[in-house]
Amino acid sequence: MKDLLIRGRVLTFVEEPQGIDDTRSYLTVEDGAVLVRDGKIAGVGDYADIRRTAGADVTIADHRPHLVLPGLIDTHLHFPQTQAIASYGAQLLEWLNTYIFVEEQKFAAPDHAAFIAGRFMDELLSNGTTTAVAYCSVHPQSVDAYFTAAEERGMLMIGGKVMMDRNAPEALRDTPQQGYDETKRLIGKWHGRGRAHYVISPRFAITSTPGQMEMSRALVAEHPHCYVQTHLSENRDEIAFATSLFPDAKDYTDIYASFGLLTDRTLFGHCIYLSDREISVLAETGAVGVFCPTSNLFLGSGLFDRDRFDRLGARWSVATDVGAGTSFSMLETMAEAYKVLHLNGQRLSPLNSFYQMTLGNARVLGLQDKIGSLHPGADADIVILDSGAKPAMELRMRTATSLAEELFILQTMGDDRCVAETYVAGKAMKGRRIAARRELETA
């Protein structure tokens, strides 16, 4: 495979920005380049300098004047809910029973799981997302479909089978032993294979008995290099139901803590109504609260309190939460994150937004050496963003005078149309996948 030289306006973060004027938090090169060799970044810097170090037969992809950034990262979404986006008029528990559990039963069919997995991965790539953490359905074949589709595209993806043994339709329930056995088998098959990472996934306390939670504890102890994901404190009715099922727990967070599920590789979706005690427990254990703004607004769940997480020293990330989340776009997600925090009297600078979508989310996953920034040795997962992709954006950009202003325009007005190209391990994917799908649809 020939070396690739990606030319454009390079932007990558090196630290979390401490304000909108924190120029030390990022590296930017106006006429920059990223040299890709064997799927890895071999060099980054000024185009003229990098061009001299590249071989004579290097392929040049000239994306000027667009921005060249690390691929975007999504830390919480549900691949079986791809066709359930925009399901009208219900809050969390009713929405699950009316729409989601019906949709997820379709994934017992391997052909359906494979079809949706392919479309799901292509939708991520169209939106510039190169890594995501996703729930599959209860069916092992859904996990196989998910990782197969990711492997075909060369993507670094994290996923796992949900475990549910109560308060769900019979067709979506396993047993504690079945959940353990199937998860263990899937970990053995997929975790560490190529770029695949497994996440142990008891859906949430409402759908797992104490017996299944014990089995989850055993899986986490036996596979400490796997991630853990579940849901926490999304909706007031959910909190009341969950705590009623575990009356000995101090609070919702203590349910998971009592089963040994709080680690520095645990991702808790939502975390809206946590007490200071609960956030402090997350801080002590290194567990991550995942902010899902479009989902929280769509289901009327509530507003995430980022400043309290920061004040108490707890880690947090940002995610789309498709399909309660209303877009696969991390740009659109950050637009809603800005508004949610604004309602809480908190600010989210565009520098912090782009840090969070890239290096910030990579750090909470412990993958900052591989993804989330453009540094030599990193995987060459790269997104090209066009700040003037829409007519209204092009017009607005004529008055932009700084990088921060441009990023805020992308964050506030942007969507998949702003993604000019997405590279996965150095291979251009967005245009290729769209063309292939159109060819299949017209055949």
Side-chain angles (χ1 to χ4, degrees), residues 77 79 82 113-132 145-146 148-155 157 328-329 416-417 419 421-424 427-441:
L77 71 170
F79 121 73
T82 299
F115 171 71
I116 297 298
R119 292 297 295 267
F120 174 84
M121 299 297 169
D122 289 347
E123 198 63 39
L124 291 176
L125 294 172
S126 290
N127 283 280
T129 298
T130 52
T131 290
Y146 174 87
T148 297
E151 189 172 68
E152 288 170 351
R153 292 157 179 80
M155 298 169 72
M157 294 292 288
F328 278 87
S329 170
D416 60 317
R417 288 168 286 184
V419 178
E421 187 54 271
T422 305
Y423 292 88
V424 173
K427 294 181 181 178
M429 298 298 293
K430 179 175 179 176
R432 180 187 306 178
R433 302 309 305 183
I434 291 173
R437 190 166 73 238
R438 286 174 178 165
E439 186 177 331
L440 281 174
E441 290 171 350

Side-chain angles (χ1 to χ4, degrees), residues 43-103:
V44 60
D46 183 80
Y47 171 76
D49 294 338
I50 301 298
R51 180 67 183 88
R52 280 193 292 270
T53 67
D57 63 345
V58 66
T59 299
I60 299 175
D62 193 342
H63 289 291
R64 293 176 296 172
H66 302 333
L67 288 165
V68 180
L69 295 98
L72 308 182
I73 301 166
D74 188 346
T75 55
H76 178 110
L77 71 170
H78 298 255
F79 121 73
Q81 297 176 18
T82 299
Q83 286 187 295
I85 295 176
S87 296
Y88 171 76
Q91 290 202 342
L92 175 63
L93 298 181
E94 180 189 353
W95 174 81
L96 283 171
N97 286 299
T98 305
Y99 302 111
I100 299 308
F101 289 157
V102 174
E103 188 68 25

Side-chain angles (χ1 to χ4, degrees), residues 13 15-26 306 310 347-355 402-405 407:
F13 287 87
E15 291 295 342
E16 181 176 2
Q18 298 305 305
I20 197 167
D21 299 320
D22 185 5
T23 58
R24 295 174 299 179
S25 64
Y26 60 87
R306 181 211 54 198
D310 288 347
R347 289 197 175 189
L348 179 65
S349 83
L351 293 181
N352 288 92
S353 293
F354 278 81
Y355 163 81
S402 68
L403 174 65
E405 194 172 0
L407 294 180

